[in-house]
Each structure stands twice: as structure tokens, then as C-alpha cells.
Amino acid sequence: MNFPNRIIKAGETDTRIVKAIQQRLVELGIGNLEGTGIFGPKTTSAVKQFQSTHRDKEGNLLLADGKVGSVTWEVLFGEDSVPVSEDPPNALLNEVLKVAVGQVGVMEDPPGSNMGEMVNKYLASVDCDPGNFWCAAFVYWCFNEAAKNLSRRNPLFKTAGCLDHWNNTTARKILAADALNKPSLVKPGAIFIIDHGGGHGHTGIVEKLAGGFLQTVEGNSNPSGSSNGIGVFRLTNRKINSINKGFIAYS
């Protein structure tokens, strides 16, 4: 059975899905379940037990919250049970990803300076001087180059600020809670926004979704995905629940 693209938790009304979860837990010897199709306290407890003793594909212990999201579902039913989304929904986003992937490997010069031949170009595209944080500038530059390649207008709000982008865009916003409850809302080419507080944040471009994980292309990052890093990286280990602000979908 494939993941139903929403979190399954206590009170779920689709008995077919609940019975599948209960049956799988029984097969694994977890919980004293009778396969009633009712997601009540016993099922919640069994799911928590499963989560507390299993790890995701990156080796991290599952969050033992008693809810079956895409990550827990994948561990329960296998990798093939969570469809992969890797086809951008339109020509612009397809071109954006080509441009972004072509920048993977660009590094600051010197590392930690927020400067370098290409980094300076990213910043210049949003009218910023070398030495500034540049993750949002990288996103804007990728969209700008893609738009030029397609002889069309760049739809992005021009800014070097992640949260400034979120607050001023006219594109469709996908709130973090909505994306978590229904990951299929997020398509390749979407822009993720993380809010670190105090006006600071981080942003990048989604390349692919698989099993609750995002594959992303990010500027001003590093192999661990932190903000204010040293280059452009392709990351495969961001969980969708790590994006605490949301996603911006351009057409």
C-alpha cells in the first residue's frame, strides 16, 4: 500500500489504511492489536513502540509521536511505498533545476568569506555587495538565469533575505504544517524557507521528494545543510519536517 499523502493518527476515519498499519505492526510482533481499523490508544501506543526501536534511512531514530507520517510509513512498508516526486510541474522550474544543479560545487574564495567569482555574481543579481549572506541571492540568480534562457520574466521577488522573500512574494505559499500533513503539495522546483529566528533564515531549491526526505540544491550551505556555509551543495537528507516556515511555489 502506498503512503496516502497525509499523516495517519488517532481518529483516522479510513479503516482500510488503519487496518494495514495494524496488520503490519502485528506482523512485526508489536502491540496487542486486533485489526479493528480504529486508530485508538492501543494503535497509538504500538506505533510509538515501533518508532522508538526503528531508524529512518539516514540512520536517525524515528520521532516517537504515535503518528504515521511519510518517514514512519516508509520504514513500516518499505521504500517503494512512498512515491518519489522528481518531475518539475512546469518548464520554468525544470530550467531552474538545470541551472541550480550546474552550480553544485561552487565554493567561496576564500572559504567563510561570503565571496568568490560566482558568489559575487549571485549577490550582484540582488544588488548586494560581496561578503553578505547569499543563500537567497543564489535562489534568485538561478531563477533569473532560467527566465533569461526561456525569454521570460523572472517571477521572484528580488531580495537577499529569506524571510523578506517569504513576506513579499505573490506566489503560492505552502505552510510548513500543510506540507507535513500532505507532502505531495511540494513539487520539484519549490523554494523552501527556514526561519532561524531574529530575522535570520535559510533557503534553497527542492530537487526531489522521497519518503519524507527532500533532495535540495542550496547556496551558502555545507554538507550538513547549515546556513552561512561555504558553497553550493546538493543535499539528500533534509526531512520535510525540518522546514519550519514553508515552501514557495512559482509557476
Side-chain angles (χ1 to χ4, degrees), residues 226-246:
S226 70
S227 58
N228 196 26
I230 59 173
V232 179
F233 293 88
R234 175 188 252 163
L235 304 177
T236 61
N237 59 354
R238 277 203 185 279
K239 286 186 177 180
I240 198 166
N241 63 7
S242 73
I243 310 302
N244 66 354
K245 195 69 175 178

Side-chain angles (χ1 to χ4, degrees), residues 42-141:
K42 282 187 176 181
T43 301
T44 298
S45 178
V47 170
K48 286 183 178 179
Q49 183 182 342
F50 172 81
Q51 291 169 323
S52 67
T53 55
H54 287 76
R55 296 178 181 271
D56 63 35
K57 62 184 178 184
E58 295 292 329
N60 306 304
L61 276 172
L62 297 175
L63 175 64
D65 59 1
K67 303 174 183 179
V68 182
S70 54
V71 175
T72 295
W73 186 284
E74 181 182 44
V75 181
L76 261 176
F77 294 103
E79 189 171 344
D80 292 341
S81 67
V82 182
V84 175
S85 176
E86 54 188 348
D87 296 322
N90 58 60
L92 174 63
L93 299 184
N94 186 63
E95 187 67 20
V96 165
L97 287 173
K98 289 180 182 178
V99 171
V101 169
Q103 297 301 299
V104 172
V106 167
M107 301 294 286
E108 295 178 352
D109 185 19
S113 66
N114 287 327
M115 293 189 289
E117 181 180 358
M118 286 306 303
V119 173
N120 295 348
K121 289 182 180 180
Y122 304 149
L123 285 164
S125 73
V126 290
D127 303 325
C128 275
D129 295 329
N132 284 288
F133 297 154
W134 53 276
C135 60
F138 170 73
V139 169
Y140 183 86
W141 182 88

